[in-house]
């Protein structure tokens, strides 16, 4: 995970900073065409930063247990922690290519939901769900330790 943090996440942050400088320059010059051109890079690198910032806070040395409040919501919406984990694992393993599996909170229905996002698309702007827990299924997240066995990686995360 040190390589993941120091190389991959750092690259998203560095690229985002560069793109934000270019965006500020384009805005100051009134160059709308350049602002639009920068959009996909901002989404990708900004999403990479947002997603990873959440991902690091989710990691726990001891495996951690959900808080009592979260556990109650999981039981209400999924029946059990194990059922939620099974549902999340199945959805996350099924992500085609690279992306993220998420446990999110839906403010409208006041319920928990499982969602996936491709690439580095951030959960909240993409789905309206507030991210609670994310699993990075880009190969850089698991390939060194788990090779190409994504289900083993997802199972422990």
């Amino acid at each position: 995970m040190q390589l993941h943090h120091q190389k991959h996440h750092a690259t998203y942050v560095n690229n985002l900073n560069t793109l934000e400088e270019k965006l500020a320059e384009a805005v100051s010059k009134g160059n709308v065409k350049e602002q639009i051109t920068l959009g996909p890079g901002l989404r990708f690198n900004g999403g990479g930063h947002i997603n990873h910032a959440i991902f690091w806070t989710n990691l726990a040395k001891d495996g951690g247990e959900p808080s009592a409040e979260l556990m109650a919501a999981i039981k209400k919406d999924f029946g059990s922690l194990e059922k939620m984990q099974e549902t999340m694992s199945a959805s996350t393993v099924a992500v085609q290519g690279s992306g993220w599996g998420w446990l999110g909170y839906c403010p409208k229905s006041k319920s928990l939901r499982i969602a996936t996002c491709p690439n580095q698309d951030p959960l909240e702007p993409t789905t309206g769900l507030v991210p609670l827990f994310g699993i990075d299924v880009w190969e850089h997240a698991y390939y060194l330790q788990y090779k190409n066995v994504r289900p083993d990686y997802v199972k422990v995360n």
Side-chain angles (χ1 to χ4, degrees):
M1 286 295 165
Q2 287 180 350
L3 177 67
H4 188 167
H5 183 268
Q6 293 170 355
K7 298 293 183 186
H8 295 286
H9 186 182
T11 298
Y12 297 124
V13 172
N14 292 336
N15 289 344
L16 178 60
N17 289 338
T18 298
L19 288 165
E20 286 178 331
E21 289 172 10
K22 290 180 179 181
L23 179 62
E25 182 180 338
V27 168
S28 73
K29 292 180 178 179
N31 187 341
V32 176
K33 182 179 174 184
E34 179 66 10
Q35 292 172 51
I36 292 168
T37 301
L38 294 169
L42 289 164
R43 180 182 183 100
F44 181 80
N45 290 286
H49 170 56
I50 290 168
N51 293 343
H52 282 90
I54 295 166
F55 180 70
W56 303 128
T57 65
N58 291 163
L59 298 179
K61 278 199 272 187
D62 62 359
E65 290 294 324
S67 67
E69 182 180 22
L70 179 55
M71 185 63 85
I74 289 170
K75 287 179 180 178
K76 176 180 79 71
D77 295 327
F78 295 97
S80 70
L81 177 62
E82 294 76 20
K83 190 71 164 165
M84 184 278 296
Q85 289 170 324
E86 289 170 12
T87 303
M88 186 167 182
S89 290
S91 296
T92 303
V93 167
V95 169
Q96 292 185 358
S98 299
W100 290 79
W102 292 100
L103 173 64
Y105 175 74
C106 178
K108 289 181 183 177
S109 66
K110 298 190 181 337
S111 64
L112 300 178
R113 296 207 183 139
I114 303 295
T116 60
C117 295
N119 302 311
Q120 292 295 357
D121 289 1
L123 183 66
E124 195 162 5
T126 303
T127 66
L129 299 176
V130 177
L132 301 177
F133 177 81
I135 301 175
D136 182 349
V137 288
W138 279 73
E139 284 187 344
H140 69 243
Y142 62 87
Y143 201 81
L144 290 176
Q145 186 172 357
Y146 294 92
K147 307 296 182 230
N148 63 341
V149 188
R150 183 185 283 183
D152 288 353
Y153 162 75
V154 169
K155 185 177 179 180
V156 300
N157 279 292

